[in-house]
Amino acid sequence: MELKQLQNYLMIVESQSISKAAEKLHIAQPALTRQLKQLEEAFGLILVERTTRHFQMTEAGKILARKSAQLLEMADAIQQEMADLSIGFSGTIRIGTIGSEMEIMLPQLMAAFIKDYPNVSFKCYEGGSIEVLEQLRHGLIDIGIVRSPLDKTLYNVIEWPVQPMIAANIEPRPWLESSHKLTWADLEGERLIVHHRYAEDIRLACRGFGYEPQFAVMAEDTRSLLLMAGQGMGTVVVQKDWLKMIPKIFYSKEIDAKALETQTIMLWHKTKYMPEISKKFVESVEKYIVKL
C-alpha cells in the first residue's frame, strides 16, 4: 500500500464514481479499478459496493477514507517539517481552534504576525475543543486554541485572562439596575439562551435559588446564540468576551458564577515536533497576552 494509492482512493470517494475519479486523475479507468481491487485484497474487505447505478461505501471504506485523509495530512506535515529545516522562518502554521476564537482573537494575532513574517501562511481548522485536542494528539495541527477546563498534562499552554459569565439582552432589563453582580435569583423569569455545555450547570444553579430556569434556546454555536439574542428571543448567558463576535449593542451585566468562568487556552503538545515558525508565533502570542 502506497500513499499514491490512498490519494487515488480518496479521489474515488470524493467523486463517488471510479470513472469520474479516473478522469480527474488523468489515468485509465481500468487501472484505477485495479488499484481499488488491490486495496480490497490487501485488507481482505470490500471498500465500495459498486453497481452500474449505485456507488456505496461500506463501513470499512468509510474508515479507510477517514484514516487515509489523516495519514496524508501527516505526510504533508513531515514534508513541512523537513522544509522548515532548510527554509527557516517561513512556511505554514497549522492551527486548530474553536469557532468563537476564530472570530474574537485569532485573526488579529495572525495579522500582526504576518507583518513581521510576510512569507508565512496559516492553515486553520475549526471545531469543538474535543476535535481540536484530537487533531493535536494525531499531529494534524501544531497549535490548538480551546476553552477551559481541560487536562493540561500533555501540553504546554498559554492562558488568556479568565472571563466571567454575563447576562445580555438587547432591551434594558430590571436586573441591570442591580448595584452588585447578578445572581441566578436575579434572572428568574428570564427566557435564557445558553450554550449546551453550560445548560445543566445553569439549571442546577437556578434550582439552588428555588426555581426552574426557562431555556428559550440551547445551542452549540456561540455566534448563533448571540444572533438569536439579537433578534429579541431572550437573555443570552455567555462569557464576556463573546460579545465581541457580533456588532449588536447589548445591555449586559456580570453574573456571580465562579464555577462557570472560563478562559481561552493556546496549547501545543509537549513531545511532538513544533516547526520553528510555529514556535515564533507562540512567542508573539505570549508577548500579546502579557499586555492584556
Side-chain angles (χ1 to χ4, degrees):
M1 181 178 63
E2 300 177 353
L3 290 180
K4 187 64 176 176
Q5 285 179 296
L6 297 180
Q7 287 174 328
N8 290 351
Y9 173 67
L10 287 179
M11 181 59 76
I12 293 173
V13 172
E14 178 185 318
S15 303
Q16 293 287 291
S17 163
I18 296 176
S19 60
K20 290 179 181 177
E23 185 178 342
K24 292 177 183 178
L25 292 167
H26 304 292
I27 61 178
Q29 181 177 334
L32 190 57
T33 301
R34 281 196 301 275
Q35 284 189 24
L36 178 58
K37 187 176 174 66
Q38 287 168 356
L39 280 176
E40 290 179 327
E41 290 174 348
F43 292 115
L45 294 165
I46 298 298
L47 302 174
V48 177
E49 297 284 359
R50 46 202 185 274
T51 67
T52 55
R53 294 187 177 183
H54 299 287
F55 180 97
Q56 181 69 44
M57 294 173 64
T58 64
E59 190 60 33
K62 293 176 184 177
I63 293 173
L64 180 61
R66 185 170 66 253
K67 295 296 184 180
S68 295
Q70 292 177 349
L71 183 59
L72 291 169
E73 186 73 33
M74 291 175 70
D76 287 342
I78 291 171
Q79 289 183 325
Q80 181 62 56
E81 288 175 19
M82 295 301 101
D84 284 339
L85 296 177
S86 60
I87 296 174
F89 295 136
S90 62
T92 300
I93 300 173
R94 301 173 304 157
I95 300 178
T97 177
I98 53 175
S100 56
E101 292 309 318
M102 195 62 193
E103 299 195 42
I104 296 173
M105 187 69 68
L106 191 54
Q108 65 190 79
L109 293 173
M110 293 162 58
F113 190 72
I114 284 177
K115 287 181 180 178
D116 294 328
Y117 298 94
N119 294 325
V120 169
S121 62
F122 288 89
K123 196 170 186 178
C124 298
Y125 304 83
E126 289 186 52
S129 291
I130 293 175
E131 294 171 288
V132 171
L133 291 174
E134 186 71 12
Q135 289 179 320
L136 207 53
R137 280 194 292 270
H138 285 95
L140 303 179
I141 55 175
D142 307 311
I143 299 166
I145 300 178
V146 299
R147 279 276 182 174
S148 63
L150 81 155
D151 181 359
K152 304 172 188 174
T153 307
L154 298 175
Y155 308 104
N156 296 309
V157 302
I158 300 174
E159 298 177 325
W160 269 248
V162 172
Q163 291 293 317
M165 294 292 267
I166 62 165
N169 200 296
I170 58 170
E171 299 291 340
R173 305 298 293 165
W175 38 261
L176 287 167
E177 304 303 322
S178 173
S179 60
H180 53 76
K181 290 182 181 179
L182 298 179
T183 68
W184 297 108
D186 295 310
L187 297 176
E188 184 173 4
E190 293 289 318
R191 290 176 54 78
L192 301 179
I193 300 173
V194 302
H195 196 287
H196 273 298
R197 178 179 181 181
Y198 306 113
E200 190 56 31
D201 288 330
I202 292 172
R203 190 192 310 277
L204 293 174
C206 292
R207 285 176 178 171
F209 283 94
Y211 73 95
E212 193 71 22
Q214 301 178 48
F215 290 134
V217 180
M218 287 187 286
E220 293 290 339
D221 182 68
T222 307
R223 170 177 276 274
S224 297
L225 296 175
L226 292 167
L227 289 172
M228 285 183 275
Q231 292 297 317
M233 293 178 62
T235 293
V236 66
V237 177
V238 291
Q239 284 86 5
K240 186 176 181 178
D241 59 341
W242 284 2
L243 284 186
K244 299 175 184 176
M245 292 179 65
I246 66 172
K248 201 83 175 182
I249 297 175
F250 285 98
Y251 297 91
S252 65
K253 195 169 183 64
E254 187 174 328
I255 304 171
D256 186 7
K258 290 287 185 184
L260 295 184
E261 289 181 350
T262 67
Q263 61 189 146
T264 297
I265 296 177
M266 174 178 280
L267 66 164
W268 59 101
H269 209 284
K270 286 181 178 179
T271 60
K272 293 188 183 297
Y273 172 80
M274 169 80 86
E276 288 301 316
I277 194 62
S278 297
K279 292 178 184 177
K280 283 291 181 183
F281 182 67
V282 166
E283 290 173 11
S284 74
V285 173
E286 283 180 312
K287 293 175 184 177
Y288 176 86
I289 298 301
V290 168
K291 298 176 183 178
L292 291 179

